[in-house]
Amino acid sequence: MSSYYNYNDTSPPVVQGIPVKQPIHIYNHNYINHGIGAPEIHSPTQNNNGGNWTKGEHQPRRCNDAAFAILFYAHLGVLVWTTAVFAPRMAMEVAESNGLNYQRDLVEGQRGLTSRVLTWMIQRVKSYDPHAIGQRSLEGEDSVYSFDATSIGTNDIGDMMLLLGISAVVALVISTLALTFMIRHAQLLIKFALLFNIASVALFTIGSLFLSPFAAIMGIFLTGMTIWYAYIVWGRIPFAACNLVTATTAVRGNLGLSVLAYSSLPLMLGWSAWWMLSFASTIYVTSGCDGQGNCQGEANGFVIFLMLLSFHWTSSVIRNTVHVTVAGVVGTWWFVPTEASSFCSSAVRDSYLRSMTTSFGSICMGSLLVAIVEALESMVRNEREESDGLLLCLLQCLLACLRDVIEYFNTWAYVFVGIYGYTFLDAGKNVLELFKTRGWTTIITDNLAQSVLTMLSAAVGLITGLVALAIAHGQGMMFGSELGASAAAFFLPCFNLISYSTTQSMTLVSSAVNTVIVCYAEAPAEFQTNHPKLSDDMRATWRQAWPEEFFY
């Protein structure tokens, strides 16, 4: 069986070569009230909120939104060219300015040269860091344009790379254990996440008492709101836990997805390193810098925007490729579990191939929309560091809200892209109309499961950051000349990098949860047939949490 449905085939379905009786709910898209196994809507008032629902159906194999895929590959080609042209020039001039013959002495002085070049790159990129924009290096604001090589030891970069490697291994082990624990104790984790949020805000409130009366009042207000939120959603914990269990069960049955998620981590690291080299060398050349890092002019704002756009776009494409692949696999597991029940199941392979070929343009399109807003948001945040003002603050808030709206649309659109192969816009329109018709617009805003994944990502980052700090202290590693700065230099990069990387792996579960909700809206009958125990649990918990919205 090459796919989990064929709406043009009227012959009896075949399972392992044996004809079987047609089920009551079949994949028939020729009738307006026959969704993919979904209950029929007999009257406009029965579970119908005015939506114009187009039933999901398999799309012909074609390259959807191909123009955006071509544009994405073209931008990578430009980045390859800038790196190949500008990076050697920067390395040569930095080598010569530090008394090294680029052709003869490069091997002898490679370690020191690498440290100096990478240090300058890090300092240069810090002012436009996509995730921590506006930060300055420890030496001060002027170090953006120059650096003192004597203040940085030649072993600093090597020590940092070693610690990052160790932290990555530790994070991999902890993340795997965390996912296993989440399958068995989902409700406990959700409760702990809610209590953890309350404790965090309470600690902020206590600290704000020593700052200002206004901060204390805000802290008390936030603490009250957090406690009120926990009280309101406490009864929906079984609902969120059931969604998590169903999603993790689907992922556990197709563990090849974990390989895809974990392989995205080194891919992200490699992309970040490549982007940093291209960014630093491009700014070096376009700003007229010399080997000591002194630049004749300011960096061009439009060039910075394009580089930030490149970073965010490619990062989003990597994440969303995993998201779309997971949606396709969970969709297959939902309808035909025999095709999605092994480590290297055909569902994993086929879904990944679709994500990288026919659906890749749709992935690039949605990712570009988010990347444009994120790049603008980064530049506005950087401007606020230079000269803060009310207008910039409002603009940053507006961009943040716009980014959240686009990401919300993308989240559900990519599920239909992964399952059916729709174009990006058609997928988003159809899935939102599905929720509107079902009356689930409130249900899909529930983010209890996501709060658990966020907490786990932060916890893994904290643990690995502390491990890196302990190793650095035990080995006497130093970064710079100050102890406090050295501790921060080792802890913060490991914490940020591993938290971000762990978030990538948690995308597996998050994407699976979203796909489960979409499939449950369209095909509860197939879920009952193929996974009766999970279906019974979901029906009970959903009815308890959403008695007015849920009718199955």
Side-chain angles (χ1 to χ4, degrees), residues 274-502:
W274 175 21
W275 178 86
M276 186 172 70
L277 176 62
S278 179
F279 180 90
S281 58
T282 300
I283 298 301
Y284 180 93
V285 173
T286 58
S287 300
C289 302
D290 58 24
Q292 293 296 328
N294 301 308
C295 302
Q296 297 177 359
E298 295 286 340
N300 185 283
F302 184 66
V303 172
I304 294 174
F305 170 76
L306 291 179
M307 294 300 297
L308 291 174
L309 178 62
S310 172
F311 180 86
H312 288 297
W313 192 13
T314 305
S315 301
S316 295
V317 166
I318 295 173
R319 291 194 303 269
N320 291 329
T321 299
V322 176
H323 180 25
V324 172
T325 302
V326 172
V329 173
V330 175
T332 306
W333 172 85
W334 188 277
F335 295 109
V336 184
T338 55
E339 292 189 4
S341 58
S342 63
F343 187 93
C344 297
S345 64
S346 59
V348 176
R349 181 185 65 251
D350 295 342
S351 296
Y352 178 70
L353 289 177
R354 288 195 301 270
S355 299
M356 295 301 297
T357 53
T358 56
S359 297
F360 190 69
S362 301
I363 295 174
C364 293
M365 181 180 178
S367 300
L368 178 60
L369 297 177
V370 175
I372 292 174
V373 178
E374 286 181 328
L376 291 173
E377 189 179 2
S378 296
M379 297 195 70
V380 171
R381 191 181 298 114
N382 187 55
E383 286 298 320
R384 288 194 64 192
E385 290 290 331
E386 300 294 335
S387 57
D388 197 4
L390 178 60
L391 182 60
L392 290 176
C393 179
L394 293 176
L395 182 58
Q396 183 178 345
C397 291
L398 178 62
L399 289 172
C401 293
L402 180 60
R403 169 172 49 81
D404 290 340
V405 170
I406 297 176
E407 288 180 341
Y408 176 83
F409 181 85
N410 286 3
T411 295
W412 301 111
Y414 281 137
V415 173
F416 256 40
V417 170
I419 296 177
Y420 303 115
Y422 280 104
T423 64
F424 175 74
L425 293 179
D426 287 342
K429 180 186 68 175
N430 290 341
V431 72
L432 293 182
E433 287 293 345
L434 165 63
F435 290 140
K436 183 179 179 180
T437 302
R438 291 298 186 201
W440 287 13
T441 53
T442 303
I443 294 179
I444 61 177
T445 60
D446 192 295
N447 61 351
L448 281 177
Q450 186 60 45
S451 65
V452 173
L453 303 179
T454 302
M455 182 192 68
L456 288 178
S457 299
V460 173
L462 178 62
I463 294 173
T464 52
L466 293 175
V467 169
L469 186 59
I471 294 175
H473 177 72
Q475 297 297 320
M477 298 178 181
M478 291 289 292
F479 196 93
S481 57
E482 298 181 7
L483 181 60
S486 179
F490 284 122
F491 174 79
L492 292 178
C494 292
F495 172 77
N496 291 328
L497 179 63
I498 298 304
S499 295
Y500 181 75
S501 300
T502 307

Side-chain angles (χ1 to χ4, degrees), residues 33 38-53 433-441 443 520-522 524 542 546-552:
N33 288 326
E40 295 185 16
I41 301 175
H42 298 291
S43 68
T45 60
Q46 179 184 346
N47 203 19
N48 190 326
N49 290 267
N52 183 19
W53 174 22
E433 287 293 345
L434 165 63
F435 290 140
K436 183 179 179 180
T437 302
R438 291 298 186 201
W440 287 13
T441 53
I443 294 179
Y520 202 39
E522 284 214 315
W542 279 52
W546 306 99
E548 297 182 2
E549 293 84 356
F550 187 71
F551 292 88
Y552 295 168

